Amino acid sequence: PTGWIAPSGTRVVAMADIAGSSGGLLVSLSDGQLLRSTDSGGSFVPLPLALPAGASVSHLWTDIDRPAQVVAGIEHRAGAVPDPASAIVLWRSADDGSSWTPLLNRGATGSSFGITYDAGPGMRRYATVDRNVWRSDDDGASWALTGLFADSVVAHPTVADTVFLISQLVGGSFPSLSRSTDGGASASPMTTGLAPNPTYGGSALVAALALHPAFPTVPRMYVATQDAGLYLSTDGGTSFA
């Protein structure tokens, strides 16, 4: 163990390794604090990301291809007093968290949930907020709703218009896993082979998707389901087993 524990009354909500650093680690706490370590978690100092009451950093994203860049997803609890700052659900830092600028303003205040983000090739970015899928073509300078719905997104690493969508609504009208090849204008199910596993006796609702580091050259992807086990595709998601 590193010897560090979260302050009394708080818990760790998210953490991320700082890409390109040695010993750099970011941790967010349930009380809204964002902390940075430069000694592999031995000690932490607070970072200047001031959040509205009732908000916390629910997710942190770093990218080895973009050293020193950090994206923070902010969730606002239901019942919190609406604050103008609660419209901003993604913040970005270009200096390991020392300073921050707004990345995605959803145009509404109050509670928010389901914040996810992924960077595609070039300037393409995707995000989800309250199950709405957003798209940016200019590295987050501007965003537009796609009209699609999902709980999380995974961007294709080499094809900007391709994005994978995960929906976790039980009995919902959206496939648990789908793919858009037109930048979010439409999506098609990717459910071949994602049948309930009798061994587990549960549904194959998708909880997470992971692409091979060399995807699509190596067309492997893994799907973790909520209660039906782990699935593998070796053909880029055409089928799973």
Side-chain angles (χ1 to χ4, degrees):
T2 66
W4 180 85
I5 59 173
S8 177
T10 70
R11 59 183 175 83
V12 173
V13 176
M15 64 180 180
D17 181 78
I18 299 176
S21 73
S22 177
L25 180 68
L26 295 175
V27 165
S28 69
L29 302 180
S30 55
D31 63 357
Q33 289 190 79
L34 183 60
L35 310 176
R36 179 175 62 197
S37 172
T38 58
D39 56 6
S40 301
S43 60
F44 287 84
V45 296
L47 295 176
L49 180 57
L51 300 178
S56 64
V57 178
S58 61
H59 293 84
L60 290 164
W61 296 274
T62 59
D63 189 339
I64 194 63
D65 294 325
R66 300 170 179 85
Q69 184 176 117
V70 184
V71 173
I74 312 301
E75 292 192 357
H76 304 269
R77 293 194 300 270
V81 177
D83 184 300
S86 66
I88 304 171
V89 292
L90 287 176
W91 291 81
R92 179 165 58 192
S93 171
D95 52 14
D96 295 338
S98 294
S99 61
W100 298 84
T101 56
L103 179 59
L104 172 54
N105 187 323
R106 61 186 167 135
T109 59
S111 63
S112 62
F113 63 93
I115 315 299
T116 68
Y117 166 86
D118 203 11
M123 306 286 276
R124 181 64 56 85
R125 308 291 179 261
Y126 291 98
T128 62
V129 183
D130 302 339
R131 303 204 76 251
N132 291 288
V133 179
W134 294 73
R135 164 183 157 178
S136 173
D137 298 333
D138 50 17
D139 191 29
S142 61
W143 293 82
L145 286 166
T146 65
L148 297 180
F149 299 92
D151 291 289
S152 60
V153 289
V154 176
H156 193 289
T158 62
V159 182
D161 277 348
T162 296
V163 60
F164 303 101
L165 312 173
I166 297 171
S167 177
Q168 297 175 1
L169 279 182
V170 177
S173 59
F174 305 101
S176 188
L177 180 63
S178 59
R179 169 170 37 203
S180 174
T181 58
D182 52 16
S186 62
S188 301
M190 298 171 59
T191 54
T192 301
L194 286 180
N197 186 334
T199 301
Y200 294 87
S203 67
L205 286 175
V206 175
L209 169 69
L211 305 180
H212 188 279
F215 190 91
T217 302
V218 179
R220 295 170 67 90
M221 60 172 63
Y222 292 90
V223 163
T225 63
Q226 291 185 5
D227 53 6
L230 186 67
Y231 291 77
L232 166 67
S233 172
T234 58
D235 54 16
T238 300
S239 62
F240 290 87

